[in-house]
Amino acid sequence: MNIEFNKNDDAMRQLVYLLKSRHKQVALGGGEKKIESQHKKGKLTARERIDYLIDNPEDFLEIGAFAGDGMYKEYGGCPSGGVVTGIGKIAGRSCVIVANDATVKAGAWFPITAKKNLRAQEVAMENRLPIVYLVDSAGVFLPMQDEIFPDKEHFGRQFRNNAKMSSMGIIQVAAIMGSCVAGGAYLPIMSDEAAIVDKTGSIFLAGSYLVKAAIGEDIDNETLGGATTQSEISGVTDNKFPNDEACLDYIKSIFDKVGAFEKAGFDRTEPKTPKKDQQELYGLMPHDRVKPYDVRELIGCMVDDGEFEEYKEKYGQTIVCGYARIDGWAVGIVANQRIVVKSKKGEMQMGGVIYSDSADKSARFIMNCNQRKIPLVFLQDVSGFMVGSRAEHGGIIKDGAKMVNAMANSVVPKFTIITGNSYGAGNYAMCGKAYDPRLIYAWPTAKLAVMSGASAAKTLLQIKVSSLKAQGKEITEEDKEKLLEEITERYNEQLSPYYAASRLWVDGIIDPAKTREVISKGIEAANHAPITEQFNVGVIQT
């Protein structure tokens, strides 16, 4: 066991090291030369602005750090989607912060930038958190305008969200710290208050070149829409400041005076450390994804004082449900069990698979958590639902539907951590991205897809071979092996948590030892939004 533990520990440490290395690279944005260029203009970078603004830079929960990772190679890439987003505290108050990164294509909007901005606004709206926009953007990236501009979830949706948040009473504060052009100019001006930095900040619907082309007027950008023009002549912005720091100091002063908010009232006691070191998770999680492990061991590393009150322990054993505290917060945990278990009916059940009894138990547990106003935490390592005649005759679809119904209609906040596999309908039932978890993060060991790599590759090979045969092409066993290798390699790349994070299917990838911290910050944010909706599962299968 010690040998296996050490092997797992070594493998996880390598994955965590890779994660930290990749994040350091992403945090450079457009690179050191572009950062130096920002500094020469007297400007801070997006990350420096956030660090200056928030109470504790170490306490910043980044959302979407790997957005755009490996995408848009033909345009030189778009690290972090060209924008830094996350949750941090300003004058003691949790806020969502959105900071354009001008070192990446002058902060221009790629399709993933729009998706990431909308995700940040969604986090603010769901949790009723104030939001701060640090604007420094050249606007839409024109070569891809058709993928950013006109659709429902494109660029324009953010201004709709500005208006909706304002009507909801969510505080929005903006600082124009660089370019702010065209439609993007509405974002700060639809906020409650808009500050601007003198000489470096500018805001206009059309820049000087476009003005010249459109109406023949010769004018420079500073006169057209600089800080003096917009603060003293037009009144578009509210205050101007001599530099980034002074502007950010003003935002701090705003939040220092904001009144108290109504809380959701989730239960919290004095936090206690787990009995096990959280880094024990490294050795407990098998590097070989087919090997079994007891998920209770993982839970023991995450919960306060190792205390976990299990619900229906001997029934529906492939999902473990129970009550605990994480950093003092009361939570209900729903976790896939990865050891092979034997039901009281004598059925051997595979770990990571959802059976009728485990789905039935989970649905009831989820409903109890809603009744008691306890946030839900899902630990995903799921291969899917059980298949075959025995499962079908036992009503697996009906019981699975019951679990999905209870989870989808939950009014308590949900948080999802993908520790291992996240395949097919199992992803859905265990609160995947489509089911509105307040936050969803993955461990470096996570794999997301409709099915496992081996199963998918063989199926895709069969389809490819059939297609070639239909074209009258003969294929040898050697050709088949080569094709299978190519298909498997391509599919495994898509299974990677980085592939998922780049497309914002998850909010990020985290060191497993930080899981408690992420969940605690998520519940603290969710506590800003009182539950007003009645829990109602509608018509549920019985």
Side-chain angles (χ1 to χ4, degrees), residues 145-164:
Q145 64 85 26
D146 60 319
E147 296 181 48
I148 308 163
F149 169 66
D151 210 346
K152 182 178 178 180
E153 299 296 332
H154 282 181
F155 188 70
R157 187 75 172 181
Q158 67 172 338
F159 313 128
R160 174 263 189 196
N161 287 349
N162 281 145
K164 287 288 185 183

Side-chain angles (χ1 to χ4, degrees), residues 291-306:
K291 290 191 175 177
Y293 65 90
D294 190 338
V295 76
R296 294 182 188 90
E297 296 282 335
L298 300 190
I299 292 169
C301 295
M302 298 179 196
V303 300
D304 289 18
D305 207 29

Side-chain angles (χ1 to χ4, degrees), residues 101-390:
D101 186 349
T103 70
V104 179
K105 300 290 188 295
W109 284 57
F110 283 70
I112 198 66
T113 318
K115 188 173 184 180
K116 185 170 173 179
N117 272 265
L118 293 176
R119 174 60 179 148
Q121 288 183 319
E122 181 181 47
V123 170
M125 293 167 85
E126 284 181 335
N127 299 294
R128 300 187 73 88
L129 290 176
I131 185 165
V132 176
Y133 307 101
L134 306 180
V135 185
D136 194 346
S137 171
V140 165
F141 185 64
L142 283 177
M144 302 189 77
Q145 64 85 26
D146 60 319
E147 296 181 48
I148 308 163
F149 169 66
D151 210 346
K152 182 178 178 180
E153 299 296 332
H154 282 181
F155 188 70
R157 187 75 172 181
Q158 67 172 338
F159 313 128
R160 174 263 189 196
N161 287 349
N162 281 145
K164 287 288 185 183
M165 281 191 275
S166 189
S167 71
M168 291 167 68
I170 294 172
I171 297 165
Q172 299 178 83
V173 177
I176 300 154
M177 311 185 85
S179 297
C180 183
V181 300
Y186 286 106
L187 184 142
I189 307 311
M190 290 184 77
S191 299
D192 305 344
E193 193 163 341
I196 188 167
V197 179
D198 197 17
K199 306 304 179 197
T200 54
S202 59
I203 178 168
F204 32 64
L205 290 181
S208 56
Y209 292 134
L210 187 55
V211 167
K212 174 70 173 174
I215 63 171
E217 181 183 0
D218 275 311
I219 190 168
D220 63 88
N221 281 338
E222 185 63 26
T223 308
L224 182 66
T228 299
T229 296
Q230 302 292 26
S231 293
E232 299 176 22
I233 299 173
S234 69
V236 165
T237 54
D238 299 302
N239 289 292
K240 72 172 181 178
F241 297 91
N243 53 47
D244 283 9
E245 290 87 349
C247 186
L248 295 168
D249 284 337
Y250 179 67
I251 294 174
K252 292 181 190 183
S253 75
I254 290 174
F255 284 99
D256 187 49
K257 299 170 184 66
V258 170
F261 60 92
E262 188 183 351
K263 295 183 180 180
F266 302 122
D267 188 64
R268 192 181 198 187
T269 58
E270 188 66 31
K272 296 178 183 176
T273 56
K275 282 186 175 173
K276 295 179 180 178
D277 188 324
Q278 288 174 79
Q279 288 201 343
E280 276 196 46
L281 290 166
Y282 294 1
L284 293 169
M285 188 69 185
H287 177 60
D288 184 345
R289 299 302 308 115
V290 299
K291 290 191 175 177
Y293 65 90
D294 190 338
V295 76
R296 294 182 188 90
E297 296 282 335
L298 300 190
I299 292 169
C301 295
M302 298 179 196
V303 300
D304 289 18
D305 207 29
E307 292 180 1
F308 180 61
E309 301 158 25
E310 196 162 341
Y311 175 76
K312 290 193 176 185
E313 181 184 350
K314 299 297 181 184
Y315 178 74
Q317 296 175 77
T318 63
I319 293 183
V320 171
C321 300
Y323 306 100
R325 290 188 183 275
I326 291 179
D327 199 32
W329 295 104
V331 295
I333 296 174
V334 181
N336 298 112
Q337 177 60 287
R338 285 306 305 258
I339 55 175
V340 176
V341 297
K342 187 177 182 181
S343 75
K344 289 297 179 183
K345 293 179 181 178
E347 181 185 16
M348 297 304 293
Q349 297 181 336
M350 293 181 287
V353 177
I354 302 174
Y355 291 76
S356 280
D357 54 359
S358 50
D360 179 68
K361 175 176 84 171
S362 301
R364 178 71 177 274
F365 179 74
I366 289 166
M367 288 189 274
N368 275 341
C369 287
N370 276 273
Q371 188 83 334
R372 299 170 193 176
K373 204 158 81 169
I374 299 173
L376 285 159
V377 173
F378 292 84
L379 301 178
Q380 274 201 27
D381 191 353
V382 59
S383 304
F385 283 86
M386 190 55 192
V387 296
S389 60
R390 184 170 183 173

